[in-house]
Amino acid sequence: MNTLFDKIWDKHVVQKIEDGPTQLYIDRLYCHEVTSPQAFAGMRERGLKCFRPDHIYCMPDHNTPTHDQDKPIEDPVSKKQVDTLAKNAADFGLTHYGMLSKDNGIIHVVGPEKGLSLPGMTIVCGDSHTSTHGAMGAVAFGIGTSEVEMVMASQCILQQKPKSMRININGKLQKGVTAKDVALYLMSKLTTSGATGYFVEYSGQVVKDMTMEGRLTLCNLSIEMGARGGFIAPDETTFEYIKGREFAPKGEEWDKAVEYWKTLKSGDDAVFDKELNYDAADIEPRITYGTNPGMGIGITEAIPTLDEIDEAGKASFQKSLDYMGFAPGEKLLGHAIDYVFLGACTNGRIEDFRAFASIVKGRKKAENVVAWLVPGSWLVDKQIREEGLDKVFEEAGFAIRQPGCSACLAMNDDKIPAGKYSVSTSNRNFEGRQGPGSRTILASPLVAAAAAVTGKITDPRELM
């Protein structure tokens, strides 16, 4: 096989059960407040301690409000989950980055930026978008609550080994096309189940040229194609990004680490269970029109007509359009929108704010738009202010909120009202995902910024 996935996986195998799962060692467990309480409760019931507490990091993000974080959380369920995580971390002697600490943010943004997620690692969290950390050259995937408990107790997990897929994206991206557009394009081609059972390695010139933050966005969305996870072989871009970060190796340890990391690539003779090739020239800025991330089009294209949908999918396709208030064959350019959300573990990093600022600079927020700009961490917030982007946003009529998952999902105060259209840089557009009855159009930070200043779906290339 000789794939990078095999190299990392095999190095972490503790034992293999014949015709059964593999016992896999885990280097890093991230815990947030939503999927960990039952795991901690199970540990208490069995009188267990965490086997390797220094390999576990806890952080609230889903339920944190993005304003007035210095006041008690108003929603009782959110408050209980956030408070419970703090108590559990203290009781079990785990590192906890609480609200308002400089280390807090969305766990999938903070892990890489602190140098906690490193090449060659196995990384898990009770959250499907754990695949984000694969951008570091790690095997990272989401797990269930009972598995969180398994890792706490043993630093291992029982897993069936997934199949391997390589997706090559060749050529050069056009102006205004981002990593988010690449991911949305792949989802529309593969559908939301096209990579089920696979771990995806992203490769090709487009991936090589991507910044680290672009790669994090691409890997974040692997799960939306049904993949178990997605990752990218580490290279000079990766090493540059990691160097000097808080938990990155230092001195001689750094040299040794880089030497090892350079071996982390698929061999020239590597055999994948499936290999796919795409051309950058076919990708333009994209938007979704339906209620799963695979229902997407190029921004200048029209929604497919019923004739273009196979018989088995027609009913769900029509149901999706009815929910969104769109018609088959309709073009969405110029369609009025109500909300814009910049943030989430998909697009809440500093580069995303720079991209948004590049469009809104010297322009004004459209009056009909409510815009939520939510940094993925307090470090991102600090970078925004150091670079003066906050002034650009302020002059254009935008305010920056406090870090958290925010309007990615309706678990905190930032909910889109029923029937309203939201252009969102998050990862999912399911019915009610951003609030009961909300209508979500997934897009890149550039497309979101263009919508925010025009009040409608606009091709960002016209404003660049």
Side-chain angles (χ1 to χ4, degrees), residues 224-438:
E224 307 307 339
M225 309 184 299
R228 195 73 187 89
F231 67 109
I232 294 164
D235 59 13
E236 289 304 328
T237 301
T238 322
F239 312 149
E240 271 305 300
Y241 177 89
I242 296 167
K243 198 173 187 177
R245 292 188 184 267
E246 187 179 343
F247 289 94
K250 307 283 189 293
E252 256 179 67
E253 288 299 309
W254 170 258
D255 297 332
K256 274 206 308 227
V258 172
E259 206 171 308
Y260 165 57
W261 293 342
K262 283 181 173 168
T263 68
L264 295 175
K265 50 178 184 271
S266 292
D268 296 335
D269 56 348
V271 179
F272 293 83
D273 295 304
K274 193 170 190 177
E275 188 148 12
L276 298 169
N277 294 291
Y278 296 100
D279 188 348
D282 299 332
I283 310 173
E284 68 168 348
R286 294 186 69 83
I287 49 174
T288 60
Y289 60 84
T291 52
N292 73 54
M295 298 176 81
I297 49 176
I299 199 159
T300 62
E301 295 172 353
I303 295 172
T305 60
L306 278 168
D307 300 341
E308 295 170 73
I309 304 297
D310 64 43
E311 212 49 54
K314 272 183 184 164
S316 65
F317 173 77
Q318 190 60 60
K319 178 176 178 279
S320 194
L321 289 192
D322 291 345
Y323 179 85
M324 291 298 292
F326 296 148
E330 183 183 351
K331 279 199 167 190
L332 296 184
L333 269 180
H335 193 287
I337 58 111
D338 309 291
Y339 281 75
V340 166
F341 169 51
L342 173 66
C345 58
T346 316
N347 285 119
R349 289 171 278 273
I350 187 62
E351 269 180 25
D352 303 310
F353 284 83
R354 287 179 194 144
F356 196 94
S358 74
I359 297 278
V360 305
K361 190 175 185 177
R363 296 186 168 98
K364 287 274 184 257
K365 181 183 80 63
E367 282 184 13
N368 60 310
V369 170
V370 175
W372 290 330
L373 276 53
V374 186
S377 69
W378 281 105
L379 178 61
V380 175
D381 180 86
K382 182 169 174 263
Q383 290 170 300
I384 287 168
R385 293 170 202 287
E386 282 172 357
E387 295 182 19
L389 299 181
D390 55 330
K391 301 281 184 289
V392 173
F393 296 137
E394 221 169 279
E395 281 165 23
F398 297 93
I400 296 166
R401 295 170 87 84
Q402 292 173 311
C405 290
S406 182
C408 175
L409 77 177
M411 268 192 191
N412 50 69
D413 302 343
D414 300 351
K415 295 178 177 71
I416 309 296
K420 297 293 184 191
Y421 287 100
S422 158
V423 174
S424 176
T425 66
S426 52
N427 40 49
R428 288 186 172 155
N429 53 347
F430 305 154
E431 288 189 19
R433 167 82 176 180
Q434 289 193 288
S438 60

Side-chain angles (χ1 to χ4, degrees), residues 81-376:
Q81 289 198 329
V82 170
D83 291 349
T84 301
L85 181 65
K87 184 183 185 317
N88 282 331
D91 289 355
F92 285 84
L94 306 178
T95 302
H96 175 254
Y97 297 137
M99 265 166 62
L100 285 175
S101 81
K102 69 172 175 45
D103 305 299
N104 182 254
I106 303 171
I107 211 156
H108 305 315
V109 174
V110 174
E113 75 182 11
K114 290 187 85 63
L116 283 166
S117 303
L118 297 171
M121 279 186 166
T122 48
I123 300 170
V124 295
C125 174
D127 185 283
S128 57
H129 293 107
T130 307
S131 57
T132 310
H133 306 267
M136 311 307 298
V139 166
F141 52 93
I143 56 175
T145 299
S146 59
E147 294 170 312
V148 171
E149 186 181 339
M150 199 187 286
V151 178
M152 284 176 182
S154 66
Q155 208 57 38
C156 291
I157 193 171
L158 293 176
Q159 281 288 295
Q160 293 286 0
K161 186 178 182 180
K163 292 182 287 186
S164 64
M165 180 192 288
R166 179 158 65 187
I167 296 179
N168 304 301
I169 312 138
N170 293 306
K172 280 240 182 279
L173 293 178
Q174 306 169 53
K175 183 177 92 164
V177 179
T178 69
K180 179 67 165 285
D181 300 301
V182 173
L184 289 171
Y185 175 80
L186 293 177
M187 285 184 258
S188 73
K189 291 291 175 198
L190 275 160
T191 76
T192 48
S193 59
T196 301
Y198 291 92
F199 227 92
V200 176
E201 179 176 345
Y202 297 103
S203 188
Q205 195 58 46
V206 166
V207 177
K208 214 181 242 88
D209 291 344
M210 267 182 198
T211 62
M212 208 58 228
E213 302 206 339
R215 295 175 185 188
L216 288 159
T217 296
L218 180 61
C219 290
N220 174 273
L221 289 154
S222 307
I223 193 77
E224 307 307 339
M225 309 184 299
R228 195 73 187 89
F231 67 109
I232 294 164
D235 59 13
E236 289 304 328
T237 301
T238 322
F239 312 149
E240 271 305 300
Y241 177 89
I242 296 167
K243 198 173 187 177
R245 292 188 184 267
E246 187 179 343
F247 289 94
K250 307 283 189 293
E252 256 179 67
E253 288 299 309
W254 170 258
D255 297 332
K256 274 206 308 227
V258 172
E259 206 171 308
Y260 165 57
W261 293 342
K262 283 181 173 168
T263 68
L264 295 175
K265 50 178 184 271
S266 292
D268 296 335
D269 56 348
V271 179
F272 293 83
D273 295 304
K274 193 170 190 177
E275 188 148 12
L276 298 169
N277 294 291
Y278 296 100
D279 188 348
D282 299 332
I283 310 173
E284 68 168 348
R286 294 186 69 83
I287 49 174
T288 60
Y289 60 84
T291 52
N292 73 54
M295 298 176 81
I297 49 176
I299 199 159
T300 62
E301 295 172 353
I303 295 172
T305 60
L306 278 168
D307 300 341
E308 295 170 73
I309 304 297
D310 64 43
E311 212 49 54
K314 272 183 184 164
S316 65
F317 173 77
Q318 190 60 60
K319 178 176 178 279
S320 194
L321 289 192
D322 291 345
Y323 179 85
M324 291 298 292
F326 296 148
E330 183 183 351
K331 279 199 167 190
L332 296 184
L333 269 180
H335 193 287
I337 58 111
D338 309 291
Y339 281 75
V340 166
F341 169 51
L342 173 66
C345 58
T346 316
N347 285 119
R349 289 171 278 273
I350 187 62
E351 269 180 25
D352 303 310
F353 284 83
R354 287 179 194 144
F356 196 94
S358 74
I359 297 278
V360 305
K361 190 175 185 177
R363 296 186 168 98
K364 287 274 184 257
K365 181 183 80 63
E367 282 184 13
N368 60 310
V369 170
V370 175
W372 290 330
L373 276 53
V374 186

